[in-house]
Amino acid sequence: MHAFDILGDPVRRRILELLADGEQTSGAITEVIRAEFALSQPAVSQHLRVLRESGFASVRAEGARRFYAVDPSPLSEVDVWLDRFRGFWDQRLDALGTELARGRRASRTSGVGKARSTNGRNMT
């Protein structure tokens, strides 16, 4: 399955967001997803299976509990695709940085002399 097919589903994206914060039990994931999406436990399990089989998540057993963790390697496909578009953002972010610096300089220079009274003497 293509990475964007996996990430195109809001439930799977939310599960990956939960896993990005660290390893989670299947029960904890199910609790959050059921509350947010009103899905049944079997439906959540199906999404976990898709993430596991596509390589986006790994699972380890500890007794009866299953711990899921995000596996970032399939995200490299997304990163490669997004790389084509980073140039657009880099240019805009550089321009924003320039404008912010201009604004800071302008506020520093316009602040000089504001601490004077009406008779021209410093108030400090």
Side-chain angles (χ1 to χ4, degrees), residues 31-91:
E31 185 178 317
V32 171
I33 297 302
R34 288 185 74 184
E36 292 181 10
F37 293 92
L39 293 178
S40 67
Q41 184 275 328
V44 177
S45 292
Q46 177 67 24
H47 284 290
L48 287 170
R49 183 174 68 79
V50 169
L51 289 170
R52 193 177 58 248
E53 289 178 355
S54 63
F56 278 84
S58 61
V59 65
R60 71 177 176 83
E62 192 173 287
R65 296 169 68 183
R66 301 290 177 259
F67 289 86
Y68 283 82
V70 71
D71 184 343
S73 53
L75 294 172
S76 64
E77 181 181 340
V78 175
D79 189 47
V80 167
W81 186 83
L82 287 172
D83 199 41
R84 290 193 242 159
F85 304 98
R86 283 197 177 92
F88 297 121
W89 285 106
D90 290 343
Q91 291 169 0

Side-chain angles (χ1 to χ4, degrees), residues 3 9 16 18 23-24 34 40 51-52 56-57 59 62 64 69 83-84 93-94 99 103 105 107 116-117 122:
D9 185 279
L16 288 173
L18 294 170
E23 190 177 62
Q24 302 277 331
R34 288 185 74 184
S40 67
L51 289 170
R52 193 177 58 248
F56 278 84
V59 65
E62 192 173 287
D83 199 41
R84 290 193 242 159
L93 291 173
D94 289 346
E99 291 303 315
R105 280 193 304 273
S107 68
R116 293 187 182 271
S117 70
N122 283 337

Side-chain angles (χ1 to χ4, degrees), residues 98 100-110:
T98 300
L100 290 172
R102 281 185 189 150
R104 283 192 298 269
R105 280 193 304 273
S107 68
R108 280 194 303 261
T109 58
S110 67

